[in-house]
Amino acid sequence: MKTIDELLAEGVAGKRVFVRADLNVPLDGTTITDDGRIRAVRPTVSALAAAGARVVVASHLGRPKGAPDPAFSLAPAAARLGELLGSEVAFATDTVGESARATVAALTDGQVAVIENLRFNAGETSKDDAERGAFADQLAELADLYVGDGFGAVHRKHASVFDLPARLPHAAGGLIATEVGVLKKLTEDVARAYAVVLGGAKVSDKLGVIDHLLEKADRILIGGGMAYTFLKAQGHEVGISLLQEDQVPAVQGYLKRAEELGVEFVLPVDVLVAHEFPDLKTKAPAHPTTVAADAIPADQEGLDIGPATRELYAAKLADAATVFWNGPMGVFEHPDYAEGTKAVAQALVDSPAFSVVGGGDSAAAVRILGFDENAFGHISTGGGASLEYLEGKTLPGLAALED
Ligand code: ADP
Ligand code: MG
């Protein structure tokens, strides 16, 4: 894999360089609530600009349906990138149309442009190789070189991630190099004890990684929405909590294999429950009650780990040497359900372990909840990407950067 330093050494002055970034930031209307992903790619963009490249930055944002949708415009991210760079950033209002071609043609050496959300074009995410390829052909016309630095998207076989680097001389950006370096520390010669904390809402996405981690980790702590599938697998009723019923047999299998392998599974002993999901807009008080994990009322749902679980998890993390954490412990967006996520973040801050936080929402959570990101070993910009790497899968966006 060619590094960006090697590319810079070859000279990029006057060249149009397409940077596939991950500017998929959380938005509240047009306000960016966490700009971590933009800050993470800034060094790559500024190094290219400083070397005289004409930089074309591209990304997806959210899940528009293959057509323009103003709710998913990259305009706020482009503006923020300009602030971080301290220079004007041009913005094209389409991806491969007239605006993009004119904007790129108008760039002078050292200037930066952002083109509109790649997913406004159905070719970006198409399962059809020809349709994706046709879009990649159009993107390739905008540039002479390609730099892959959108770590959060490397697990996607998408046109800008997989097909475009096959059409242009390419290199890996600094962010991808850093992320892969960190993930190697979690898969090769891991410092023990190795604890993994999994939570969040995308249960089925995350169950896959457990299979692989059973061979690697010493301890697996479960919180967030996925905890209820585990509690159900142990024979407890979970009321109206998030539950993936069809995964219960698989989870029972994991629990059994963990026992055979001597891997410790730690599940919540108490949870915060309420009759309804909290209002995340008004953040009106939710008045949850704490119940034992085996006593969730039939008409209520679990929305955070409880106080006894917070203490238990902090203790289980205190003596770990390596920790990987993906997924909030509860609905942290509401203050009444943020304590579990805070407790895990605090345990990592307090522990001398090399700690990696992965996952878009998890990374945003630690910053939104006020933690200093430097207190963690690494905050990854990729959720699905880091999980699939840990699962041992080949990531299309990394494979495409190999030669
Ligand atoms: P990440 O982006 O870090 O990988 P996910 O996207 O899987 O994490 O999950 C984050 C979401 O999970 C948050 O929006 C949070 O509100 C939600 N969540 C956490 N715990 C629960 C729960 N018990 N029930 C429902 N949603 C939950
Ligand atoms: Mg998420």
Side-chain angles (χ1 to χ4, degrees):
M1 208 181 270
K2 183 181 278 181
T3 66
I4 182 138
D5 291 334
E6 287 165 339
L7 190 75
L8 290 169
E10 288 169 13
V12 295
K15 298 258 172 67
R16 297 168 305 161
V17 182
F18 187 102
V19 178
R20 194 347 174 153
D22 176 11
L23 307 179
N24 184 25
V25 289
L27 286 175
D28 182 0
T30 56
T31 306
I32 297 168
T33 53
D34 179 60
D35 67 355
R37 283 178 164 164
I38 307 177
R39 283 186 287 117
V41 78
R42 187 206 50 81
T44 295
V45 175
S46 65
L48 288 165
R54 303 172 179 204
V55 190
V56 182
V57 181
S59 175
H60 69 288
L61 187 134
R63 293 174 185 263
K65 306 248 172 306
D69 179 343
F72 296 104
S73 174
L74 272 176
R80 182 75 189 118
L81 179 63
E83 285 166 19
L84 292 168
L85 291 169
S87 65
E88 195 71 31
V89 165
F91 184 67
T93 54
D94 57 27
T95 46
V96 289
E98 222 167 277
S99 174
R101 285 195 300 268
T103 304
V104 173
L107 286 176
T108 58
D109 294 0
Q111 280 190 334
V112 178
V114 174
I115 60 172
E116 187 53 288
N117 194 337
L118 292 159
R119 291 190 189 169
F120 285 1
N121 189 307
E124 170 67 359
T125 61
S126 175
K127 297 250 184 300
D128 179 52
D129 290 350
E131 196 185 351
R132 264 199 340 272
F135 182 48
D137 285 340
Q138 289 179 294
L139 289 171
E141 284 175 26
L142 297 175
D144 307 302
L145 301 170
Y146 176 95
V147 170
D149 215 20
F151 179 72
V154 291
H155 59 313
R156 305 287 185 201
K157 193 177 172 184
H158 289 168
S160 66
V161 176
F162 180 73
D163 305 272
L164 183 56
R167 287 162 167 77
L168 293 172
H170 49 260
L175 175 61
I176 280 192
T178 302
E179 295 273 12
V180 170
V182 166
L183 288 169
K184 282 206 170 122
K185 283 211 218 176
L186 296 181
T187 45
E188 298 162 13
D189 298 324
V190 188
R192 298 198 176 271
Y194 179 14
V196 174
V197 190
L198 293 174
K202 294 181 208 156
V203 179
S204 42
D205 287 14
K206 297 184 183 189
L207 289 175
V209 76
I210 292 177
D211 206 35
H212 205 73
L213 286 172
L214 278 173
E215 310 286 334
K216 312 252 178 201
D218 300 304
R219 217 172 271 162
I220 303 179
L221 284 58
I222 305 286
M226 70 195 297
Y228 305 95
T229 303
F230 277 81
L231 291 171
K232 183 82 179 179
Q234 288 194 323
H236 306 310
E237 288 311 320
V238 296
I240 54 170
S241 306
L242 206 62
L243 172 65
Q244 201 144 15
E245 192 91 56
D246 60 336
Q247 296 293 328
V248 166
V251 167
Q252 285 166 336
Y254 297 148
L255 291 169
K256 188 160 168 281
R257 255 184 62 220
E259 210 174 297
E260 290 160 7
L261 292 166
V263 175
E264 188 183 5
F265 253 110
V266 194
L267 299 184
V269 293
D270 61 350
V271 294
L272 302 188
V273 296
H275 285 96
E276 54 197 33
F277 199 84
D279 188 330
L280 301 182
K281 278 229 165 331
T282 64
K283 307 234 188 329
H287 306 296
T289 48
T290 303
V291 298
D294 61 359
I296 299 175
D299 59 347
Q300 299 197 42
E301 67 181 305
L303 294 159
D304 194 10
I305 56 174
T309 308
R310 297 200 291 261
E311 243 174 78
L312 173 68
Y313 285 17
K316 294 287 180 190
L317 294 172
D319 64 345
T322 305
V323 181
F324 174 70
W325 175 26
N326 174 287
M329 295 292 98
V331 183
F332 73 92
E333 296 91 337
H334 191 288
D336 290 347
Y337 301 112
E339 292 302 320
T341 302
K342 272 190 199 167
V344 166
Q346 190 62 50
L348 297 193
V349 169
D350 294 342
S351 132
F354 174 65
S355 57
V356 179
V357 184
D361 291 286
S362 319
V366 302
R367 290 188 285 255
I368 290 166
L369 296 175
F371 290 91
D372 173 6
E373 51 190 326
N374 297 314
F376 300 88
H378 179 70
I379 299 187
S380 175
T381 56
S386 38
L387 286 173
E388 290 196 18
Y389 187 100
L390 294 181
E391 275 179 64
K393 287 189 182 160
T394 299
L395 306 185
L398 296 182
L401 295 176
E402 302 285 355
D403 269 327

